[in-house]
Amino acid sequence: MSHWIQEYRMKRKNRFKKLILFGAFVLPGSGHLLFKKNVKLGIHLMTGTAALILLVIFRWYRIIGTFESKAFDHWLAVLFIILSWSAMVFISVKHTYELLIDKIKKPRIKTPLVLASRRFRENKLAVISLYVICFFYLIAVLAPFLATHDPSAIDNVLETRYQSPSWEHPFGTDEYGRDLYSRALYGARVSLSVGFMAVVIAITIGTFYGSIAGYFGGFIDNIMMRFVDVFIAFPTFFLLLMLVGVFEASIVAMILILGLTSWPGTARFIRGEVLSLKEKQFTEAARAIGLPHRTIIFRHLIPNGISPVLVSAAMMVSSMIYYEAGLSFLGIGIRPPTPTWGNMMSAGRDALLVAWWVALFPGGILAATMLSFNLLADGLRDAFDPKVLMRRFL
Amino acid sequence: MLLKVENLRSFFFLDEGILRAVDDISFHVNEEETVALVGESGCGKTIAALSIINLIPSPGRVVKGKVYFNGQDLLKMSPEKIRKTRGKEIGFVFQEPSMALNPVFTVGDQIAEVLRLHMGMGVKEAERETIRLLGETGIPEPEKRFKAYPFELSGGMQQRALIALAVSCHPRLLIADEPTTALDVTVQIGIIDLLRHLQKLYDMAILLITHDLGVVAEMADRIMVMYTGKIVENAPAVDIFEEPKHPYTKGLLGSIPKLGKGSKNPLGGIPGAVPDFLDLPPGCTFHPRCELGDRDCRKKFPKLFAVDYVRQSACYKYYKM
Amino acid sequence: MWRHILKRLAQAIPLTWGILTITFFISHMAPGDPMDMYMEEQRQRQVDPEIIELLRQKYGLDLPIHVQYVRWLGNVIKGDFGESFRYRRPVLDLIAERIPYTLQLTLLALLFSTSLGIIIGIVSAVKQYSALDKGVTLGSLIIYSIPGFWLALMLVLVFSVYLGWLPTSQTRSMDYEFFSLGEKIFDRIWHLILPVFVLGLGSAAYKARYVRNRLLEVLNEEYILSARARGLKEKMVIFKHALRNAMIPLVTILGLHLPALLSGSVLIESIFAWPGMGTLAVGAVGGRDYPVMMATLMISAILTIVGNLLADITYVALDPRVSYEKKKPV
């Protein structure tokens, strides 16, 4: 008898477990909440899934329409939805499974990175800015589905132009009657991608260049830095103006121009960091063992120098976005009808006396984005290098 | 009595807890006397010195106590009054002369500034007096050095300049915080001589703070031993060296390497390590490391009490020594 | 000290040469040559190919590039920046007309940002942890992050359009000629307020933060404690001993901010229709006016170098440690 009861209990337990796993699949995050482990992650997963579900429900037609229209940006957005959903489900199921079988996890080694991320999480402002940034990137990718109108749709201009903000047009309309909210969404795509890619280019080249110069020092350093000095002497905007004037201003050209004008600044900064790292004893030790230069640079110096690089990268994204917007504002960067926050503000400037919203909203979002990146950079800096209270008097 | 310190307490209020850097110390310094405050690094002696002139940086502050100087309680004075006392009546010499002098002003400038402020001298007069002071502290070519910046001087000369700065207004009390620690041994002797010379010249009392027992032996009339923020023994120098009445003092003296005593004898040390200020042992803070320690020692910290006419100790078991 | 200055001057020369060279090569990276652009613009009129050839020869465009480079370099050193395609006037004249306006804006903005930054920084450091201090720390970051041209538009919206307190643009009012001298001066200043304010605000925020942090650092140094232990008055401790040490690196920051301000002036000039080098450059880009583009680029870079040089010299003058580096302890 007891044998049966045990079997029955086992079966019930198994079914129970399967139910939980199924729950984790359908509603990512439920497993975390149930077991009260990693609750924050669970909440994130749940809100994420809920948001996706809402999106899919409200924009069903458009999503289906992607398969017919074959518009590239629509495809990208659909792909993103599928990928993120799969990732959330995967994480949820994996963690829930591990929790069910009571897998013992190794305690996390307190590497500097782990410590830094913990400090970062305690900084509320930094965390908020990180969320804001992720939010902006998210809506930029999903723009085709979030936009309420077609950003280039012009329709009975005389009636629709310069409408002040309303339910239908949260940001109002511009001089051609286009919905500014949708244009801003698409503008986000331009600005954010340009910012990110330009920084990637600048940081990659700059880090290589700067670490080589700083490491070898002496003559090589001298020559390399002379070149950098010349670049830095140009006031950025004038240089950008010239370059954009010489080459056409497409999005790709923008990215290249911004990236290629910024790497000298990064190189100079990295070189400084490498120089100070060089003085530290672990470099001497590495050299004493006889490690080749290449290894010292890549395996030792760069990982240690990563933190200031990240901080400056975050600030640079803010600057890149600013420059792109500035150039477009002047009419030299990306030109209408492609919406970018900069050229929208330019239109806003012309309409300043009659339609204040055209200048306010795109610029406001631009300011918010720049602010978030700067706060993020600040938070990163504080996370990597906390100010220790000086106890020297004892 | 020139200086009388009563129940002085200075704490640091940190996130991790309250750090009792100076925990209820009392002592006095007579006119023209040299008293040494001795202890290992980190025992609170510098804070004690700064507490006397009420200059503890935040997050610390003087919590309780009285510091009578010339009959007045320094801690109760208005900021303006105590400011006038500092530098004029009480001089302070810091440990690292290169850090204690402002790098962007000349040495002469900094000394003359104090002279003009406290002694009311005019510019030319102050300059002359400064040059004289520099000469008196043993700096060669003082007219040249007047215009020199701190970084242009060697360590020894910087310290002499700092001492000149401290005694410029003929203070009654000179507090010297580790004046020789940052210097080479050969230079140290010069500084000790200088301090003795100046003391005689200006009839100053010196409160000497150091962990170097050699310097103490040269200069001190009386010695106070500090451990974890408390004074554990207070006696004339001769008595301390010959017959310490506290196990900690004994341990310190035993740690001094002695020439000739036979290099075969191992250097005596004190077992254990100085405890963390935020996690002090109960009762007598020294008892875990003490050879005489027993259960009574754990109950309550022994307050300083008189062992005889001139000596004080803070050990219940002193008679065993 | 003088050796240091000469050294710096010597370094500035190859730097200048580098700037000139790079400018030349950038402008010649464009596909096609200026003649094609010229032809495009003259599309209306049928230009004889022979004339094009003659013009090519006149401008030396048929010569190999290194020869062009040497010629051009020689001209530039003599001060001849060529002729504007658009205005048919010597570029040098155009720039000479416009530079004073740009310098007005930039230097005033520098002055404004430095004074505001220092004042706020000092107050913030002295009253550490107060509400003011926390506000300044956060506020300066926010101000520093806001794009200048948006702020300009918003301020114009509030102060010019709605409140009518300040003018929207231009350097002077329409009926300027009819003003008395006093009114003229006032009018100029009135028109300068908004542009200078917007241009300098970001820099001011940065400086305030910097001064505050630096001052706090210095106040923790041993020599400040030593100064207090000597009984020096608190005002002297802060304003004489601490400030001097804290300010010295600020000079370098000033030097670094100058190119940023020049950059910023391009946008600000555009918004306020200020007749400076910025608007000239923007117009040149739109009109493919290569000589002007090159000249504005070079002149602004040279201004930057001059500014940095001045900052460097001031730094050496203020900090005795730098020039005495090689001296042995006496």
Side-chain angles (χ1 to χ4, degrees), chain A residues 69-387:
Chain A
S69 71
K70 298 197 201 304
F72 178 66
D73 47 352
H74 282 61
W75 270 116
L76 212 61
V78 170
L79 196 63
F80 177 78
I81 293 179
I82 296 177
L83 277 176
S84 48
W85 178 78
S86 337
M88 286 196 282
V89 165
F90 176 72
I91 294 177
S92 166
V93 171
K94 177 165 182 260
H95 284 187
T96 318
Y97 179 69
E98 281 170 5
L99 286 171
L100 278 174
I101 63 174
D102 272 332
K103 180 169 174 189
I104 303 173
K105 283 205 153 162
K106 279 186 288 185
R108 251 161 147 204
I109 318 171
K110 295 221 174 110
T111 66
L113 196 64
V114 172
L115 286 172
S117 69
R118 199 169 296 176
R119 275 196 292 265
F120 183 83
R121 260 174 277 165
E122 283 166 22
N123 182 349
K124 295 209 178 89
L125 213 53
V127 172
I128 293 180
S129 54
L130 187 60
Y131 277 134
V132 170
I133 291 174
C134 290
F135 177 69
F136 279 143
Y137 272 97
L138 226 82
I139 61 175
V141 174
L142 295 173
F145 299 146
L146 291 173
T148 47
H149 298 78
D150 179 353
S152 354
I154 299 181
D155 175 45
N156 208 340
V157 176
L158 289 175
E159 267 185 25
T160 52
R161 79 195 303 250
Y162 287 147
Q163 286 182 342
S164 48
S166 59
W167 259 133
E168 203 196 323
H169 297 286
F171 289 172
T173 61
D174 65 1
E175 75 269 24
Y176 294 118
R178 296 180 288 203
D179 172 41
L180 284 176
Y181 163 70
S182 310
R183 298 209 68 186
L185 279 178
Y186 275 86
R189 300 167 68 101
V190 176
S191 297
L192 292 175
S193 48
V194 166
F196 184 74
M197 296 301 307
V199 167
V200 166
I201 295 179
I203 297 257
T204 315
I205 303 180
T207 310
F208 266 103
Y209 196 89
S211 40
I212 293 179
Y215 181 75
F216 286 110
F219 186 62
I220 300 180
D221 178 31
N222 231 326
I223 294 206
M224 289 177 98
M225 281 302 126
R226 287 272 152 263
F227 185 62
V228 164
D229 284 339
V230 173
F231 258 95
I232 294 187
F234 290 110
T236 328
F237 241 95
F238 284 97
L239 185 60
L240 288 173
L241 279 182
M242 177 103 199
L243 284 171
V244 172
V246 168
F247 302 100
E248 281 301 325
S250 64
I251 293 186
V252 175
M254 271 297 213
I255 294 177
L256 284 173
I257 290 177
L258 284 172
L260 293 173
T261 38
S262 316
W263 72 257
T266 314
R268 173 58 87 90
F269 175 68
I270 299 282
R271 167 192 177 261
E273 292 291 316
V274 170
L275 280 179
S276 74
L277 279 179
K278 234 175 41 159
E279 301 300 310
K280 296 209 175 135
Q281 294 192 313
F282 69 85
T283 323
E284 272 187 60
R287 228 179 298 165
I289 315 179
L291 292 177
H293 292 307
R294 197 182 1 112
T295 314
I296 298 185
I297 295 183
F298 286 112
R299 282 268 183 81
H300 292 270
L301 289 176
I302 288 191
N304 272 288
I306 276 282
S307 39
V309 173
L310 280 179
V311 174
S312 83
M315 294 196 86
M316 276 181 81
V317 177
S318 168
S319 316
M320 298 287 109
I321 296 182
Y322 170 75
Y323 288 133
E324 181 275 315
L327 286 172
S328 308
F329 176 79
L330 291 171
I332 298 178
I334 299 175
R335 275 170 242 231
T338 315
T340 158
W341 294 335
N343 61 27
M344 287 165 77
M345 284 170 72
S346 173
R349 186 239 176 150
D350 296 331
L352 204 57
L353 295 166
V354 289
W356 50 268
W357 53 89
V358 188
L360 178 75
F361 290 107
I365 303 192
L366 176 65
T369 314
M370 284 175 68
L371 182 61
S372 308
F373 273 105
N374 280 345
L375 283 174
L376 180 69
D378 230 38
L380 282 174
R381 193 187 321 127
D382 285 341
F384 283 119
D385 174 36
K387 297 238 161 50

Side-chain angles (χ1 to χ4, degrees), chain B residues 31-34 136 167 170-172 174 192-206 218-219 221:
Chain B
E31 314 242 354
E32 299 177 42
E33 195 185 12
T34 305
E136 191 155 271
V167 304
H170 308 319
R172 314 258 58 230
L174 181 69
I192 296 174
D193 286 340
L194 174 63
L195 286 173
R196 278 207 287 242
H197 165 77
L198 289 173
Q199 181 179 30
K200 261 192 261 184
L201 194 60
Y202 293 129
D203 302 320
M204 286 188 307
I206 298 184
E218 292 267 352
M219 287 194 71
D221 299 322

Side-chain angles (χ1 to χ4, degrees), chain B residues 83 86 99 102 113 118 152, chain C residues 223 226 230-231 241 245 330:
Chain B
R83 184 189 67 74
R86 292 183 199 131
M99 308 275 274
N102 196 328
E113 183 185 27
H118 284 308
E152 290 180 87
Chain C
Y223 54 82
S226 171
R230 283 180 248 153
H241 286 258
N245 275 281
V330 186

